[in-house]
Amino acid sequence: MTAGHQNAIWDLAVHPVQDLLISAGADGVCKLWKPFNVAEFVLSENGETFQPTSICVLAPDPNLLAVSYSNARTAVFDINTEKLVTNIKSNGTYDGTQGTQINRVVSHPTSSVVITAHEDKQINFFDYKSGDVVHSMIAHQDAVTGIDVDSQGLFVLTSGHDRSIRLWDYHSRSCIQEISAHWNKFDQGIFDVKFHPTLSYFASAGADGLSKIFMKRKE
């Protein structure tokens, strides 16, 4: 049996076209699980190993993997060579505490953009090829915990500990729908949101122990 992580697992991702499972652990390691083989990705600096918080395969280039970290860094790795490709400049608001960490990273389905959801209420858009910021904005009144992009790349969905789900127009970056969806529990609201891959539905997972399904508002 192959050894797993030495601490909590924060995120899992299934590769869209290959027989791969990717995991991100609090032990500072991302693991790429292949049949009969495991590859590891570690990002460190000056002897410090960073703790990954979220992972996603980049939809326009499924050979690349984006990893966000608790120190608000985001890195892009090549799955085949296991090498670092891009250091994204995502830690501009990091203050050395978990209050500014990245909670989630997602890929736009058609363009070279990744979007990060931050503990300090922000979401940020980056070009993963250059590593530069495309857009940055305050998205919630509390930590942004979940983020997703619909399959056509037209809408962004976010959730936060302010108990709200917000639907954004990708191009204008304007909020077009807001839902107060869950009850708070231990100062936490909503943990994650996800679009249905083909239908006009999205789902949320709340700290109140409930999962809810909603229909996207028709424009």
Side-chain angles (χ1 to χ4, degrees):
M1 181 178 293
T2 304
H5 288 272
Q6 301 301 312
N7 209 324
I9 297 174
W10 292 124
D11 201 10
L12 291 170
V14 177
H15 196 281
V17 295
Q18 299 184 44
D19 292 330
L20 301 174
L21 175 68
I22 307 153
S23 58
D27 53 3
V29 179
C30 289
K31 295 199 174 191
L32 184 66
W33 302 87
K34 309 174 185 178
F36 312 110
N37 186 29
V38 179
E40 294 186 354
F41 301 89
V42 176
L43 186 66
S44 61
E45 190 174 90
N46 299 324
E48 178 188 3
T49 299
F50 304 146
Q51 185 180 98
T53 57
S54 181
I55 49 180
C56 72
V57 177
L58 301 185
D61 189 347
N63 290 317
L64 299 179
L65 172 71
V67 184
S68 64
Y69 294 87
S70 60
N71 63 352
R73 298 278 292 271
T74 306
V76 176
F77 294 92
D78 188 299
I79 290 175
N80 297 316
T81 64
E82 304 170 19
K83 301 294 185 182
L84 177 66
V85 175
T86 311
N87 254 321
I88 296 176
K89 303 166 186 175
S90 58
N91 61 339
T93 60
Y94 184 62
D95 63 2
T97 71
Q98 290 185 340
T100 49
Q101 74 174 22
I102 297 175
N103 292 321
R104 188 73 64 192
V105 59
V106 294
S107 167
H108 191 274
T110 59
S111 66
S112 60
V113 171
V114 295
I115 312 172
T116 53
H118 294 243
E119 188 75 12
D120 58 0
K121 311 175 187 178
Q122 295 196 65
I123 60 173
N124 294 312
F125 299 70
F126 301 94
D127 187 308
Y128 66 73
K129 293 182 178 178
S130 66
D132 294 332
V133 180
V134 176
H135 186 72
S136 179
M137 65 185 191
I138 298 294
H140 284 266
Q141 297 177 13
D142 205 333
V144 187
T145 55
I147 190 165
D148 197 21
V149 185
D150 76 304
S151 58
Q152 294 182 313
L154 301 177
F155 302 99
V156 177
L157 189 67
T158 62
S159 63
H161 283 324
D162 58 2
R163 302 189 301 113
S164 72
I165 299 170
R166 294 182 178 181
L167 182 67
W168 306 82
D169 181 280
Y170 173 78
H171 295 288
S172 68
R173 270 71 164 177
S174 59
C175 181
I176 58 176
Q177 186 175 3
E178 181 175 0
I179 304 169
S180 294
H182 293 267
W183 294 101
N184 275 83
K185 188 173 183 179
F186 304 118
D187 295 323
Q188 296 177 318
I190 303 172
F191 290 131
D192 206 3
V193 284
K194 190 72 176 178
F195 278 113
H196 190 281
T198 58
L199 302 177
S200 295
Y201 295 99
F202 56 86
S204 63
D208 54 6
L210 298 176
S211 294
K212 296 186 176 183
I213 299 174
F214 304 88
M215 178 173 284
K216 185 174 67 177
R217 188 182 69 185
K218 293 183 178 180
E219 294 300 312

